[in-house]
Each structure stands twice: as structure tokens, then as C-alpha cells.
Amino acid sequence: MTEVYLSAVQDPNEDGVSSINMLDELSCLTGLLAVSADGKWNMDLIELNITSITGYLYDIRCGRAINHTGKWTILSNVLILNNSEFSTMIFNSSTLTESINDDLPGILNRKFLKQ
């Protein structure tokens, strides 16, 4: 996982520099999606917990480690994981983008880089 964009800039690590990409803010936030040729996939992901405090102030922390597995299909450049936890993923060149589009506070999208 190379990016986890929120709907608005935030500074959860309180270093005085806000970012829309929570990977710039939280070193504990990680994710790895492995897609194999046999039609199976595996994802290890640290959840992102977002709690509204007041106004545009949010408590943003890394949550628990989760693992998802299943089968996948691809149609054109759309990767479909057989798990309702994940949105449709669009593959473009070497980047896989999951558009989540949560309202604030929430995750706008997650990006994975092909390795």
C-alpha cells in the first residue's frame, strides 16, 4: 500500500505538517495485497480508526491488523475481490486504486503499487 487518502488534510502525528495521505502521518499504517495467478488473493492490512472529536478535528489512529483472503476476477482494468469489505479496484499501469469515497471523516481511496 502506497497511499491512504482521507477526505481532508489532517495531522494525526501532531508534527505541525498536515497531509491528506495518512501514510505520511502514521508509520504504523501498512497494507499488502498479494494477487496470485491461480485466482486467489490475500491482504494484510492495518485498519485506520477515525473518530470525530469536534468540528474538523478527528482522532486518527492505527487499529488492529486484519487479514482477508479470497478469489478474484478481472474485467478490463477492474479487479474484483469476492469480499464486500473492499470497493472495486481500478488497475492503471502499475497502480491499483480502491475508491472508497467515505464522507468526512473517512477514507477517500487506497492505492497499491505493483511490485
Side-chain angles (χ1 to χ4, degrees):
M1 188 166 60
T2 58
E3 297 171 7
V4 178
Y5 284 167
L6 291 190
S7 308
V9 295
Q10 297 292 312
D11 186 19
N13 65 2
E14 299 178 348
D15 66 354
V17 180
S18 297
S19 178
I20 197 168
N21 184 0
M22 290 302 98
L23 290 181
D24 293 340
E25 295 289 327
L26 300 168
S27 60
C28 56
L29 190 59
T30 61
L32 177 66
L33 171 63
V35 179
S36 60
D38 65 357
K40 295 178 183 172
W41 64 273
N42 181 66
M43 182 184 289
D44 292 311
L45 187 67
I46 300 295
E47 287 184 327
L48 188 60
N49 294 335
I50 304 172
T51 306
S52 180
I53 297 172
T54 182
Y56 292 102
L57 195 57
Y58 302 94
D59 179 43
I60 303 171
R61 300 172 190 235
C62 291
R64 65 187 172 105
I66 56 173
N67 176 268
H68 294 281
T69 61
K71 296 202 178 263
W72 62 269
T73 56
I74 194 160
L75 179 59
S76 187
N77 65 337
V78 177
L79 177 66
I80 303 164
L81 305 179
N82 70 334
N83 187 315
S84 62
E85 297 280 324
F86 303 101
S87 303
T88 301
M89 298 187 177
I90 307 295
F91 185 70
N92 185 359
S93 184
S94 62
T95 304
L96 186 64
T97 303
E98 178 189 17
S99 294
I100 300 167
N101 298 319
D102 284 342
D103 290 330
L104 190 66
I107 298 173
L108 188 60
N109 63 50
R110 280 190 283 240
K111 292 188 179 187
F112 297 85
L113 184 63
K114 181 180 177 182
Q115 297 184 11

